[in-house]
Amino acid sequence: MAQFGFENDIHSILKLDMPIINAPMARWQRKASSTNTSGLSPGKAANVSLSSSKTPNKTPGKNKKQTPSKMGGDRFIPIRNSKQMDVASFLLTKENEPVDTNKMAVTTENQKAWSMSLNGYNIEDAKILHLGGKPLNAPEGYQNNLKVLYSQATTPASVKKTRYISSAPDRILDAPELRNDFYLNLLDWSSRNVIAVALHNSVYLWDATQGDIILLMKLEREEDYICSLSWTKEGSYLAVGTSDCKVQLWDVEMQKRLRSMASHTSRVGSLSWNDHVLSSGSRSGHIHHHDVRVADHHIATISGHSQEVCGLKWSPDGRYLASGGNDNLVCVWPRVQEGSASNSSQVVRCWSEHQGAVKALAWCPWQTNILASGGGTSDRHIRIWNVNSGSCISSLDTQSQISSLVFAPNYKELVSGHGYAHNNVAIWKYPSLTKVSELNGHEDRVLSLILSPDCSTIATVAGDETIRLWNSFELDPVKKKAKERMAKSTSSVIHQSIR
C-alpha cells in the first residue's frame, strides 16, 4: 500500500493541470457558481476542482445565443483529458530516471500486470497525445499556393523523348549535275566510311572520315550516264551500272576498273551484292546474277517483272533477294544454287498490293524474315511483309511518294525518304509505325537514302542537287562502348578463323 500511496503523491505533484489554490476565483467562475448553485443536484458537491470542471459552452451573460462554428476553420484541437495528461507526465519523468538492468527484467512482468489492473491498459504502450476526430474540409474556393512549388505531375512515358533529334543536317554537300530520276540508285555508303555518288556520267568518292574527294571514273561518251552504284560488303570494290547496258567493277584503292560485264539489253538501274554474286536489274524487267570470280560471269537470269526493276536488295543472311518494279510488284527470290541452270529460279513470294512503282526496299537486320517496301506517287504506302508466312503485317499511308527505306538498328526504327509532295525524311518507330520525327530541308524530292556504317547517320540525295547528312541515331555512350566491345570480340574470332 505504501508503494501505491507514493505513486499517487508523485502523480499529484506532477499534474500539469493542478488548480492554483491561493489564486482568487475567476470572474466567470464566480458568475457560474452564483447562477448555477440552485441547479445543482443534492448528491454533487458545489466545490468542483479545476481539473474536473469543464469550460462552459455558452458565453456568460448571453444564454439566448450560441456562437456558431465556422466550417473550414484554421485550427484542429486534439482531445486531451486528465487521465492522458497524467500518463504523459509519468512517461516523461520516467525517461530521466536511471535504469537498473538487473531489476528491470524481474519487475517488467509485475509492472505490466499492475498497469493492466489499475489503468485497464499497459502503460508502456500508452500514447502521450491522442488525436480524435477528422479534420474539417477546406472552405470552398480555397487554394494552396504551396502546391505549385512542391508538387509535380509525372510525365507519361509516351511523351518522353529518348534522344534529341536535330531538325537541321550536320553537313550539306553539293551534287551538281545529279540526275533527277526516281528509278535510279545514285548513292551508296561503304563499310569503310566512303560515300559514292553518281553525277551524270561521273562517279565521285567522299571520305567521310578525312573529308577527301576523289573522282573515281567517267564514262567516255557524254550522252551516257550512271544509273546505279553498290559497294561490296568489305568496301574495297564498287559496282557501277550504266545506261549503255553494262556493269563495271572498280577497285577503289587502285582506282582501276577490273572488268566490264555486258549481259543486259537496257540500262541497269539497280544493283545488290551477296558475297561474290552481284545481282543487277534493268529496264527490260530482267534480273541477272553475276559471279565476279569467273570469266563467264552471267550465271542466272530471273524474269519476274514486266517493267523496269528499280529496287533490288539481298537479305542480311543471303537467303532471299527482294525486287521491286515499275509494274507495282514486290517479288522475293531464293539464293542462286551452285551449278543451277539459267532461268531456273522460282519466285518465293510475289505481292501485288502496291498501286505504284516499288523502288524502296529494306530488310530488317534484327528480323531477317521481315521486308519493308514503299510505293510511288500512286500508292504512297509503306508495307511490312513476313516472308515466311507471306502475309502483310502492317501498312501505313504516308501521303507522299516513297523513294527509299532503311532500318535503323540503334533505336529499332524505320526511315523513309519521300518525294512529292513532302520532299522530306520521316522516322518511324518499328513495329508500331508511329512517327518519331521529320527531317525537312530538301527543296526537291528525295531520291535516295543510305545509312552510315555505324548506323548513327543517314545521307540523303535529292533533286535539289545536294547531299545532306543527318546525325539522328547517335547511341548513348554506354551503349556505344558495349557495341564496340562486341564488335571487337567478333572481329578477333574472324581473324583467328582466317589464320
Side-chain angles (χ1 to χ4, degrees), residues 191-206:
S191 58
R192 297 188 178 184
N193 207 21
V194 177
I195 293 179
V197 59
L199 305 179
H200 185 48
N201 62 350
S202 304
V203 176
Y204 286 88
L205 305 179
W206 180 70

Side-chain angles (χ1 to χ4, degrees), residues 123-151:
I123 200 171
E124 297 293 337
D125 301 330
K127 298 177 181 178
I128 294 179
L129 185 63
H130 172 70
L131 302 178
K134 294 182 179 179
L136 297 175
N137 295 327
E140 186 177 355
Y142 174 77
Q143 292 183 352
N144 186 0
N145 297 327
L146 296 179
K147 188 176 181 181
V148 181
L149 298 176
Y150 297 105
S151 62

